[in-house]
Amino acid sequence: MRQEDPVAHHADANASPGTDVPAMRRAIELAARGLGSTSPNPVVGCVITDPSGAVVGEGWHERAGGPHAEVHALRRAGAAARGGTAYVTLEPCNHTGRTGPCAQALIEAGVTRVLYAVADPNPQASGGGATLRAAGISAEGGLLRAEAEAGNAAWLTSVRLGRPHVTWKYAATLDGRSAAADGTSRWITSAESRADVHRLRAECDAVLVGGGTLREDDPHLAVRGVEGATQPLRIALDTHAGLLPTARILDDAAPTLIVVGEDADTRHLPGVEVLRMPLHDGHIGVHDLLGRLYARGVRSLFLEGGPTLAGTFLRAGAVDRVIGYLAPALLGAGPAALAGAGVDTISDAVRLDLTEAVRVGPDLRITAVPTVRTPLKEH
């Protein structure tokens, strides 16, 4: 667990509702504009106010390798930043990578106060707050920390746990059925919900399905209808390489990776990128896979497979967020949205904290996070 920022509570206690909270909330909104285009870097937003509290500059980290949020905001503020305050969603970086250290940029701009929401857990970039204070700038962390952490959950999870952040998305009827008794499932939810799923895909580095979904639904998994979207990596977990060469996932709309057992025959898939993994009792280990994906730069994974794949990830304690689209319909029979999660009694139920419930067209989208991510019975 990360240590608490030593000045986190101090910052909240001294925040001015008239300026500080709205300015930081605006910075959090700006940070969200970078979702899907900054990986493997975090999303960050920054607002600069002049000494009177008027906003004179705004910016966000727009793409990996490009200027950071503070640099964009300072450029827009110009000389008006001198003597002002910078509100940043993540502690200003303190190292030189593809861009220079933001802590130094703030010092050179002449700001006299910096509030940041989340302390940087990356040891290579942390220490910006201390650098600012050493230069005589008032620098405090913790303002709207929970909100900023939620918006940057994928990157923070990847830094803290060394694996991608995993979102499980599913669609079901109000009685929890993911398909009808005859196997038909197209379409359970509305066109509005399906468009919303494309937006969520565009915010992630990779989308994952299992072999069952590949055979039954022949999914495409590319993002459609989202302007300027960076296509996520499409990943098929297909242990025995049963994928047909005509599968829609193999077109050129987005990059594709097929994950197979180490002895699988893939000669019928020429030109397809294949990741071979060792099998444990006939299965690919969830954390083995996540480790390999992290090593190739995947920081956020969107799980769109069927109930068995979802159960496997939950059983391994590897689901960080659940997004369920509930359609106002009843089936009474058919497969459930979740299977094989290792829950045999009510005391083993995976408990969730509900973070959002909104209408999307006629459907209800519910977002929740597990209260505990202890592995249950991973293979």
Side-chain angles (χ1 to χ4, degrees), residues 72-131:
H72 282 300
L74 288 171
R75 286 175 179 171
R76 293 184 174 99
R82 188 161 298 278
T85 298
Y87 302 85
V88 195
T89 57
L90 184 67
E91 181 182 7
C93 67
N94 198 40
H95 81 302
T96 300
R98 285 184 284 183
T99 60
C102 291
Q104 189 60 40
L106 291 166
I107 293 168
E108 292 173 358
V111 300
T112 57
R113 183 170 174 253
V114 175
L115 294 182
Y116 55 91
V118 181
D120 194 331
N122 183 353
Q124 293 181 328
S126 62
T131 296

Side-chain angles (χ1 to χ4, degrees), residues 230-267:
T230 299
Q231 289 291 348
L233 175 67
R234 298 177 295 185
I235 306 173
L237 184 56
D238 189 19
T239 306
H240 302 293
L243 184 68
L244 296 176
T246 56
R248 298 171 68 215
I249 198 174
L250 296 180
D251 68 9
D252 59 0
T256 300
L257 175 69
I258 310 301
V259 182
V260 302
E262 53 192 353
D263 296 326
D265 185 351
T266 59
R267 288 175 294 179

Side-chain angles (χ1 to χ4, degrees), residues 45-66:
C46 178
V47 171
I48 306 289
T49 61
D50 67 13
S52 72
V55 174
V56 292
E58 294 184 341
W60 67 95
H61 186 33
E62 299 176 7
R63 59 179 178 82

Side-chain angles (χ1 to χ4, degrees), residues 349-374:
V350 179
R351 300 293 179 177
L352 308 172
D353 283 332
L354 185 66
T355 60
E356 186 183 52
V358 296
R359 285 281 296 269
V360 180
D363 306 320
L364 180 65
R365 185 188 71 211
I366 293 178
T367 304
V369 296
T371 57
V372 178
R373 297 186 181 87
T374 302

Side-chain angles (χ1 to χ4, degrees), residues 173-199:
T173 59
L174 283 183
D175 57 339
R177 306 293 178 174
S178 62
D182 64 356
T184 56
S185 61
R186 205 167 182 159
W187 296 101
I188 284 180
T189 53
S190 64
E192 292 91 338
S193 288
R194 296 195 295 276
D196 197 54
V197 169
H198 282 278
R199 176 187 62 82

Side-chain angles (χ1 to χ4, degrees), residues 14-361:
N14 289 281
S16 167
T19 302
D20 290 349
V21 169
M24 184 63 81
R25 189 156 285 136
R26 173 59 178 168
I28 293 170
E29 293 173 359
L30 291 169
R33 297 184 182 183
L35 287 169
S37 60
T38 66
S39 185
N41 295 343
V43 294
V44 183
C46 178
V47 171
I48 306 289
T49 61
D50 67 13
S52 72
V55 174
V56 292
E58 294 184 341
W60 67 95
H61 186 33
E62 299 176 7
R63 59 179 178 82
H68 289 185
E70 296 95 321
V71 174
H72 282 300
L74 288 171
R75 286 175 179 171
R76 293 184 174 99
R82 188 161 298 278
T85 298
Y87 302 85
V88 195
T89 57
L90 184 67
E91 181 182 7
C93 67
N94 198 40
H95 81 302
T96 300
R98 285 184 284 183
T99 60
C102 291
Q104 189 60 40
L106 291 166
I107 293 168
E108 292 173 358
V111 300
T112 57
R113 183 170 174 253
V114 175
L115 294 182
Y116 55 91
V118 181
D120 194 331
N122 183 353
Q124 293 181 328
S126 62
T131 296
L132 292 166
R133 287 187 286 273
I137 295 173
S138 172
E140 301 176 351
L143 178 61
L144 299 187
R145 183 178 60 188
E147 291 182 31
E149 286 198 343
N152 215 6
W155 182 80
L156 289 168
T157 296
S158 71
V159 171
R160 292 168 180 167
L161 300 182
R163 65 159 176 82
H165 178 275
V166 178
T167 295
W168 168 43
K169 184 277 300 181
Y170 73 93
T173 59
L174 283 183
D175 57 339
R177 306 293 178 174
S178 62
D182 64 356
T184 56
S185 61
R186 205 167 182 159
W187 296 101
I188 284 180
T189 53
S190 64
E192 292 91 338
S193 288
R194 296 195 295 276
D196 197 54
V197 169
H198 282 278
R199 176 187 62 82
L200 291 173
R201 280 182 188 169
E203 294 178 355
C204 291
D205 295 337
V207 181
L208 174 67
V209 296
T213 299
L214 284 173
R215 290 184 290 273
E216 295 168 16
D217 299 339
D218 190 22
H220 189 230
L221 299 183
V223 172
R224 298 188 301 275
V226 180
E227 186 177 355
T230 299
Q231 289 291 348
L233 175 67
R234 298 177 295 185
I235 306 173
L237 184 56
D238 189 19
T239 306
H240 302 293
L243 184 68
L244 296 176
T246 56
R248 298 171 68 215
I249 198 174
L250 296 180
D251 68 9
D252 59 0
T256 300
L257 175 69
I258 310 301
V259 182
V260 302
E262 53 192 353
D263 296 326
D265 185 351
T266 59
R267 288 175 294 179
H268 62 296
L269 300 172
V272 177
E273 185 180 3
V274 173
L275 172 60
R276 296 185 179 276
M277 299 282 297
L279 300 182
H280 306 282
D281 297 327
H283 301 276
I284 292 172
V286 168
H287 289 284
D288 288 347
L289 175 60
L290 291 176
R292 295 288 289 273
L293 294 178
Y294 178 86
R296 63 174 289 150
V298 174
R299 297 295 181 264
S300 54
L301 181 64
F302 200 53
L303 193 64
E304 289 203 53
T308 301
L309 185 65
T312 300
F313 270 73
L314 274 170
R315 193 167 60 245
V319 171
D320 302 294
R321 180 175 62 164
V322 179
I323 298 179
Y325 292 85
L326 301 182
L330 301 170
L331 286 172
L338 178 64
V343 177
D344 300 318
T345 181
I346 192 65
S347 61
D348 291 338
V350 179
R351 300 293 179 177
L352 308 172
D353 283 332
L354 185 66
T355 60
E356 186 183 52
V358 296
R359 285 281 296 269
V360 180

